[in-house]
């Protein structure tokens, strides 16, 4: 009899985990609270923060799984394209009949046989459970003095509940935050007929355009070299290299009339947005320091200035919220609104048979690391690779706990390399001499993790070469001058 696995959530993380668990002979059952699969990409108001006009800020190649490419050659995809892709993925791998839609999990706890999942339909037992419900469904709206008094006709909301610019046409709108949703929505409002758009921010981030010199920026910044540099080079050197990539691609914010960011990209942060800085330069988006108080329609900022607004939209991140976890699980992982203790965001040695998917906060696309995390879980539970050592797991959790209180956002390339190594499918550079440059400085395309290890594919090398050369950035194995300098730094660090 097949081992049963309850998967909580039928978004990208839940779907790709179900696909790989089924391939290992498990029997996955997906529970989805919404009326459609896709998680955030369903676009359903109340359970999704994806608005109708959203386009991905990650490229087509890095917003896909390794065994199902997107149709067509459009570089950045509309939200509806991603939703249809996930439906096609579920259909391709026989997952549709495994999904229970409109079924909200109210409690997860240990049972007499494995794990107990409770819904409105009752309680069921499963051998194992994967929590893949996502971490981007509970907006973290900041506390501001007098916010309850705001009297603008469009009220106060978050980017999670934003559904388009039409309601703000002819209105004065304040957008709080400088993460991707805040900047993209500010740009959409400015182009959609708002009378005035002002962004209030605690600090000025660097802003990386989605496209630079004809190449998607995620192909340049989220590379394997970047992850290796983080491991082996001084933090200051990595900081400088990343800042150079960002400013070479799109300049520095002060060149557009925005405030000058901190010289350290790590201190300032970086956000992907194609149109935001040009709209600042045109005067169609204003920038103010962080708001300090609200009175009626008037908002006062940190520099003492005051302005009246019709609506406020906050794009200030999300709280980690897993309300269905039973008390024992919650205490074991020491869950709060930011943290969840687990070895590499996945397993806890005191909770065998339970795994978490997609619970880390990162910049960059999630599809590639989600698939690698799913493969790690499936290979571990399926016996393809040895189980993690409990002592090493506890050391990993202790190291994570020491970082509590520090910024938690990681970069896509670090998550990718972490899970690829865990799953045993990180490609060896020496094995692929004709692909060395692409594997180091090219995109972290999903098919490069099908080159070797479990589930290697014969055609992966040719597919990866095509993806790496898709935009003309990697067309030969000859390193550019900058790449050569970076590679020599890395080799010198290795001794």
């Amino acid at each position: 009899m097949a081992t049963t696995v309850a998967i909580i959530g039928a978004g990208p993380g839940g779907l790709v985990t179900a696909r790989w668990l089924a391939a290992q002979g498990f029997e996955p059952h997906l529970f989805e609270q919404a009326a459609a699969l896709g998680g955030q990409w369903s676009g359903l108001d109340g359970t999704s923060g994806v608005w109708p006009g959203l386009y991905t800020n990650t490229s087509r190649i890095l917003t896909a799984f390794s065994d199902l490419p997107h149709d067509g050659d459009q570089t950045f995809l509309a939200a509806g394209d991603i939703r249809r892709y996930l439906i096609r993925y579920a259909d391709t791998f026989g997952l549709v009949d495994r999904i229970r839609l409109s079924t909200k999990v109210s409690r997860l706890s240990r049972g007499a046989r494995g794990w107990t999942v409770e819904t409105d339909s009752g309680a069921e037992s499963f051998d194992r459970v994967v929590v893949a419900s996502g971490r981007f469904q509970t907006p973290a709206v900041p506390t501001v003095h007098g916010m309850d008094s705001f009297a603008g006709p469009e009220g106060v909301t978050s980017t999670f509940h934003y559904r388009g610019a039409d309601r703000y046409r002819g209105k004065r709108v304040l957008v709080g935050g400088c993460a991707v949703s805040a900047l993209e929505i500010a740009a959409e409002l400015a182009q959609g007929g708002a009378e005035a758009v002002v962004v209030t921010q605690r600090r000025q981030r660097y802003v990386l355009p989605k496209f630079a010199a004809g190449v998607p920026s995620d192909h340049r910044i989220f590379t394997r070299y970047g992850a290796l540099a983080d491991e082996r080079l001084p933090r200051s050197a990595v900081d400088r290299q990343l800042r150079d990539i960002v400013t070479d691609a799109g300049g520095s914010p002060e060149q557009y009339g925005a405030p000058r960011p901190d010289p350290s990209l790590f201190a300032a942060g970086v956000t992907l947005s194609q149109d935001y800085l040009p709209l600042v330069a045109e005067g169609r988006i204003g920038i103010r320091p962080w708001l300090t108080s609200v009175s009626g329609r008037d908002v006062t900022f940190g520099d003492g200035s005051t302005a009246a607004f019709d609506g406020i939209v906050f794009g200030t991140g999300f709280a980690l919220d897993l309300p269905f976890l039973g008390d024992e699980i919650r205490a074991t992982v020491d869950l709060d609104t930011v943290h969840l203790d687990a070895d590499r965001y996945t397993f806890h040695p005191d909770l065998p048979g339970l795994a978490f998917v997609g619970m880390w906060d990162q910049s960059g696309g999630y599809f590639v690391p989600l698939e690698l995390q799913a493969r790690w879980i499936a290979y571990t539970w399926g016996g393809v690779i040895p189980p993690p050592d409990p002592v090493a797991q506890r050391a990993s959790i202790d190291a994570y706990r020491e970082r509590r209180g520090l910024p938690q956002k990681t970069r896509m390339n670090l998550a990718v390399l972490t899970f690829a190594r865990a799953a045993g499918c990180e490609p060896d550079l020496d094995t692929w001499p004709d692909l060395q440059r692409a594997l180091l400085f090219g995109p972290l395309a999903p098919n490069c993790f099908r080159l070797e290890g479990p589930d290697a594919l014969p055609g992966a090398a040719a597919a990866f070469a095509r993806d790496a050369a898709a935009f003309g950035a990697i067309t030969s194995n000859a390193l550019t001058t900058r790449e050569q300098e970076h590679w020599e730094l890395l080799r010198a660090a290795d001794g």
Side-chain angles (χ1 to χ4, degrees):
M1 185 174 179
T3 301
T4 59
V5 184
I7 300 176
I8 304 174
L15 293 173
V16 73
T17 303
R19 175 261 186 271
W20 285 101
L21 284 172
Q24 287 297 317
F26 292 91
E27 184 182 318
H29 300 257
L30 294 98
F31 294 81
E32 172 54 55
Q33 66 174 336
L37 66 81
Q40 292 293 325
W41 296 105
S42 71
L44 297 176
D45 198 5
T47 59
S48 165
V50 169
W51 63 95
L54 181 145
Y55 277 75
T56 61
N57 65 338
T58 54
S59 63
R60 174 191 75 248
I61 289 170
L62 297 187
T63 315
F65 298 128
S66 66
D67 36 23
L68 189 69
H70 286 282
D71 294 330
D73 57 2
Q74 183 174 322
T75 306
F76 295 98
L77 302 171
D81 295 328
I82 303 298
R83 182 176 64 253
R84 287 184 286 273
Y85 172 84
L86 293 173
I87 292 170
R88 186 160 58 94
Y89 185 84
D91 185 61
T92 299
F93 293 102
L95 305 178
V96 174
D97 291 340
R98 298 180 180 273
I99 304 171
R100 306 183 199 182
L101 299 175
S102 302
T103 305
K104 184 175 182 178
V105 172
S106 57
R107 182 176 171 81
L108 170 65
S109 59
R110 285 205 227 223
R113 185 181 73 84
W115 300 88
T116 300
V117 175
E118 298 177 36
T119 69
D120 288 343
S121 301
E124 294 180 68
S125 294
F126 293 89
D127 299 308
R128 302 179 190 233
V129 173
V130 176
V131 176
S133 53
R135 62 163 298 146
F136 301 108
Q137 67 269 6
T138 302
V141 177
T143 300
V144 178
H145 178 71
M147 184 65 74
D148 291 345
S149 75
F150 182 68
E154 300 307 325
V156 179
T157 188
S158 73
T159 56
F160 184 82
H161 298 293
Y162 172 84
R163 284 299 179 269
D166 287 350
R167 64 178 286 188
Y168 298 100
R169 192 179 302 275
K171 305 292 178 62
R172 298 178 57 82
V173 191
L174 179 66
V175 179
C178 51
V180 60
S181 63
L183 300 195
E184 292 289 86
I185 286 173
E188 184 171 294
L189 291 168
Q191 295 167 323
E195 178 187 332
V197 179
V198 174
V199 169
T200 176
Q201 57 188 25
R202 291 186 175 91
R203 69 184 186 279
Q204 177 63 57
R205 292 189 183 189
Y206 290 88
V207 181
L208 180 66
K210 295 197 296 187
F211 245 116
V215 178
S217 292
D218 60 358
H219 285 226
R220 298 183 187 275
I221 198 166
F222 299 121
T223 65
R224 188 174 177 197
Y225 168 82
L228 295 174
D230 259 301
E231 293 177 340
R232 304 176 191 179
L233 298 183
R235 184 175 172 83
S236 59
V238 179
D239 192 346
R240 184 175 61 254
Q241 290 178 4
L242 284 173
R243 188 187 62 217
D244 287 347
I245 293 172
V246 171
T247 55
D248 284 355
S252 192
E254 74 273 10
Q255 295 175 279
Y256 295 80
R260 183 185 297 274
D262 192 289
S264 165
L265 182 136
F266 288 157
V270 61
T271 300
L272 276 166
S273 181
Q274 188 70 24
D275 299 322
Y276 174 74
L277 284 179
L279 290 167
V280 171
E282 292 173 0
R284 297 168 68 186
I285 295 178
I287 301 176
R288 294 289 184 273
W290 190 244
L291 71 169
T292 56
S293 64
V294 176
S295 178
R297 292 180 57 198
D298 293 333
V299 176
T300 301
F301 302 99
D303 60 1
S305 64
T306 300
F309 294 94
D310 299 303
I312 302 176
V313 182
F314 281 107
T316 44
F318 295 83
L320 180 58
D321 187 16
L322 303 171
F324 52 83
L325 291 187
D327 292 341
E328 180 200 4
I329 303 171
R330 185 178 298 272
T332 301
V333 300
D334 198 12
L335 181 71
D336 62 22
T337 58
V338 178
H339 303 281
L340 181 154
D341 290 350
D343 173 25
R344 288 162 284 179
Y345 311 106
T346 309
F347 298 116
H348 194 289
D350 295 334
L351 298 169
L354 176 65
F356 296 91
V357 165
M359 293 299 163
W360 71 97
D361 189 12
Q362 73 169 34
S363 57
Y366 275 83
F367 276 63
V368 178
L370 283 174
E371 179 173 10
L372 292 167
Q373 188 182 31
R375 290 172 67 185
W376 178 26
I377 293 168
Y379 295 158
T380 299
W381 285 352
V384 175
I385 58 176
D389 174 30
V391 174
Q393 285 185 308
R394 294 187 192 282
S396 171
I397 291 170
D398 289 343
Y400 174 79
R401 290 189 62 82
E402 290 179 1
R403 298 194 300 274
R404 285 197 175 206
L406 299 174
Q408 293 301 308
K409 190 174 287 291
T410 187
R411 290 190 297 283
M412 170 192 166
N413 45 7
L414 297 176
V416 164
L417 214 58
T418 294
F419 297 136
R421 288 172 177 171
C425 54
E426 179 188 12
D428 184 345
L429 291 173
D430 293 335
T431 303
W432 307 95
D434 293 339
L435 295 176
Q436 276 196 2
R437 183 188 175 207
L439 286 170
L440 270 173
F441 298 102
L444 287 166
N447 46 43
C448 80
F449 301 102
R450 305 296 294 274
L451 291 170
E452 55 190 80
D455 290 295
L457 291 175
F464 176 60
R466 287 194 302 272
D467 285 347
F471 299 94
I474 303 288
T475 54
S476 73
N477 214 25
L479 299 177
T480 66
T481 300
R482 173 179 284 179
E483 290 169 350
Q484 185 65 46
E485 292 173 354
H486 288 179
W487 183 226
E488 288 174 1
L489 279 173
L490 205 59
R491 287 190 294 184
D494 286 339

